Amino acid sequence: MSLLQLNLDGVRNLQSVDMAPSPRINLINGVNGSGKTSLLEGIHILGMGRSFRARQLKNVIQADTPYMTLYGRLEGDPQVSLGVRRLRGSSELELRVKGDKNARLADLVEVMPLQLINPDAFRLLEGPPAGRREFLDWGVFHVKHRFLEIWKRTRRALKHRNAMLRHGRIDPRELGVWEQELATWGEQMDTLRRAWFADFLPVFEETLERLLPLPGLTLHYARGWDKKRSLADVLEASRATDQQMGFTQQGPQRADLRIKLNKQPAIEVLSRGQQKLVVSALKLAQGRLLESASQRHCIYLIDDLPAELDAHHRSQFCQLLEDMQCQVFITSVEPEALRQAWQAQTTISMFHMKHRSDGLSQLVPEG
Ligand SMILES: Nc1ncnc2c1ncn2[C@@H]1O[C@H](COP(=O)(O)OP(=O)(O)O)[C@@H](O)[C@H]1O
Ligand SMILES: [Mg+2]
C-alpha cells in the first residue's frame, strides 16, 4: 500500500499540499516550524482518523479556515481513494473510502496501515498498558479478520458489566448474561492475540538483533487474567471485589506486552537510546509481519530520525526499511545526515518545506 497522490487543504500552516510521493523513500526537510510534522500529521489523520499530537482535531485546522480536507489515492488494482473532512464547527469526521460516504473508521484504517516513529515513541515502553494494547491490537486487526467483530462484542459486554457494578444495581440474571458474553468473546480475543503474538515474537527478535543485539531482552504477552483459569471462572470469583471496586478488574481489557531485560522491567534498566531502538524494532517488526502474513505493506511516518539515533544505528534502521520495500515519509532538519544513511543505489525523493511571506509553508519537490 503506498500513496500515489496526497492532497491536504486547511492543515496547520501548510499551503495546499498537492504531492505525488515516491512509492519508496520520501525525505522532507525544512527548518523548525516549517510544517514537516504537520505533513506527517495530515497523513496520519487520513489513515487513522486522528492526530498523534492534538487531542482535538479542530486544532489541526488552519487558523481562520472553516475546514480541512485530506485526500489520498493508494496504489492497487483498482486504486483506492480515501478522504477525510472536518469542519471547524462540527465534531463529526466525514469519511469517504472508495467513494463510499458511509465508510467507517475501521475501513480507513484497514486500507491504509500506518506506523509512526517519532520522538514520543519511546513512551510505548514507559507509558501505561493502553498504548501497548493498542500496538498489539493494531497487529491483530490487520492480520486476523474476525478481530474487529470480537473486539466490539467484548467491549460491549464489558461496558454492560461495568455499568451494573458501578451503579450497584445488580440483577443476578442480567449480570450472568453479560458475564457469559464477556467470557466467550474475551477468550476468543485472547486466542487471536496469542496467535498473533506467536508470529510476532520471532520477527521482533530478528529485527532487534539487526538493530541492536540485547541478549537477555524478553517480550511477553500477558492476557489480562490468571493464566491457569478460564475467564468465566475469574469473573465469577471476582464478582464481590469487582463490585466493591465498581469495575471489572481482570479480563482482556487488561492485556499487556511486557518487556524485560534479565527479568527487570526494560524501562528501568535500558538507556533512553536503547529504549528508542527497542521501540523502533517493535514498530518495524509490525510492518515486517504484516508483509509476510498478508503481503501488504504499511506506510511508515518517521519524524526527526537523525535527532534520535547515532549514525551507525541510523543506517541499520534505514537498511531495515529499505529491505521492507515499503513507503516511507521521513522528516529531517539536516537532510545530509539522513541522505548518508541509505545505500547508494536507493533512490530518495526529496521535498523541501519552504516558508512563504504570508506565513504559510509550501511543499516543494527537489530535483
Ligand atoms: N491550526 C494552525 N493554523 C496555522 N498554523 C498552525 C496551526 N497549528 C500550528 N501552526 C503552526 O504551524 C507550524 C507547524 O510546525 P510543525 O509542523 O511542527 O513544523 P516542523 O515539524 O517543521 O518543525 C508551527 O509554526 C505552528 O505555529
Ligand atoms: Mg517537527
Side-chain angles (χ1 to χ4, degrees):
M1 295 291 119
S2 57
L3 273 171
L4 302 172
Q5 173 72 33
L6 175 71
N7 293 82
L8 305 177
D9 276 295
V11 173
R12 302 262 189 206
N13 68 331
L14 302 177
Q15 162 68 23
S16 292
V17 172
D18 180 356
M19 183 187 193
S22 141
R24 302 301 318 282
I25 315 293
N26 296 279
L27 184 53
I28 298 113
N29 68 72
V31 297
N32 288 329
S34 60
K36 302 179 297 299
T37 302
S38 302
L39 182 82
L40 301 192
E41 192 180 23
I43 301 173
H44 193 273
I45 296 169
L46 183 62
M48 311 271 283
R50 60 179 170 79
S51 163
F52 53 80
R53 64 170 171 181
R55 237 181 252 176
Q56 298 189 36
L57 275 186
K58 69 167 195 260
N59 295 324
V60 180
I61 302 173
Q62 194 163 95
D64 307 319
T65 306
Y67 58 85
M68 64 176 169
T69 311
L70 323 174
Y71 170 83
R73 194 156 43 78
L74 291 163
E75 72 167 341
D77 188 17
Q79 294 178 356
V80 173
S81 65
L82 57 165
V84 167
R85 195 217 290 263
R86 173 69 150 73
L87 302 181
R88 185 176 290 283
S90 147
S91 60
E92 200 192 331
L93 194 63
E94 297 168 35
L95 307 177
R96 199 179 278 213
V97 180
K98 302 177 194 165
D100 178 9
K101 280 195 208 165
N102 298 316
R104 305 202 187 165
L105 204 51
D107 302 317
L108 205 65
V109 175
E110 194 184 349
V111 297
M112 193 167 128
L114 282 182
Q115 282 291 329
L116 168 74
I117 301 178
N118 70 356
D120 289 338
F122 62 87
R123 292 210 192 123
L124 186 64
L125 296 192
E126 186 183 66
R132 291 182 291 280
R133 228 169 9 248
E134 193 182 306
F135 176 84
L136 162 77
D137 287 345
W138 185 99
V140 192
F141 170 78
H142 282 289
V143 298
K144 309 276 181 202
H145 295 293
R146 292 181 56 233
F147 184 71
L148 183 63
E149 182 63 24
I150 294 171
W151 181 84
K152 281 184 184 162
R153 287 175 183 270
T154 309
R155 196 180 55 169
R156 177 158 166 261
L158 181 67
K159 229 171 89 183
H160 281 282
R161 187 178 190 267
N162 280 343
M164 293 179 79
L165 295 169
R166 203 169 43 244
H167 297 124
R169 282 194 315 269
I170 297 190
D171 167 353
R173 236 192 47 168
E174 203 187 337
L175 185 68
V177 169
W178 289 119
E179 244 166 47
Q180 200 184 5
E181 276 282 301
L182 180 55
T184 305
W185 297 109
E187 293 280 1
Q188 292 201 38
M189 206 153 133
D190 171 51
T191 303
L192 292 188
R193 282 171 168 170
R194 200 146 21 103
W196 173 84
F197 185 75
D199 294 338
F200 180 75
L201 184 60
V203 181
F204 167 69
E205 287 173 344
E206 202 233 332
T207 310
L208 188 66
E209 183 66 30
R210 282 180 63 183
L211 209 50
L212 171 83
L214 274 175
L217 188 113
T218 57
L219 177 65
H220 170 77
Y221 160 65
R223 67 177 180 174
W225 72 93
D226 193 327
K227 276 202 288 269
K228 297 189 192 75
R229 291 194 295 165
S230 71
L231 184 53
D233 285 352
V234 166
L235 292 174
E236 197 187 325
S238 52
R239 228 179 248 171
T241 52
D242 281 359
Q243 213 174 323
Q244 277 168 9
M245 302 293 286
F247 65 93
T248 306
Q249 299 170 85
Q250 292 189 64
Q253 76 283 5
R254 302 296 296 274
D256 199 357
L257 290 174
R258 306 239 161 93
I259 303 158
K260 294 192 170 168
L261 187 72
N262 302 322
K263 306 218 162 96
Q264 292 173 289
I267 191 75
E268 314 250 323
V269 280
L270 293 181
S271 75
R272 205 24 62 117
Q274 288 173 320
Q275 288 175 35
K276 285 174 180 167
L277 285 161
V278 170
V279 171
S280 302
L282 284 166
K283 299 210 166 190
L284 292 173
Q286 276 279 24
R288 299 178 81 203
L289 178 60
L290 182 73
E291 235 173 88
S292 64
S294 68
Q295 283 72 53
R296 300 173 72 215
H297 296 269
C298 73
I299 298 175
Y300 277 88
L301 305 178
I302 299 167
D303 206 10
D304 263 345
L305 184 76
E308 299 298 304
L309 305 178
D310 60 61
H312 167 72
H313 289 108
R314 204 184 296 151
S315 34
Q316 297 298 104
F317 178 91
C318 290
Q319 217 159 21
L320 275 158
L321 276 175
E322 283 172 307
D323 291 352
M324 285 169 65
Q325 309 274 320
C326 55
Q327 189 176 38
V328 183
F329 293 84
I330 183 163
T331 71
S332 173
V333 276
E334 334 159 44
E336 275 321 304
L338 245 188
R339 223 199 249 272
Q340 285 155 13
W342 309 88
Q343 289 168 36
Q345 73 273 20
T346 304
T347 30
I348 296 178
S349 300
M350 304 276 290
F351 296 85
H352 180 67
M353 274 296 177
K354 193 173 148 210
H355 261 312
R356 303 184 340 160
S357 53
D358 60 4
L360 298 179
S361 275
Q362 192 172 5
L363 184 73
V364 190
E366 287 188 330

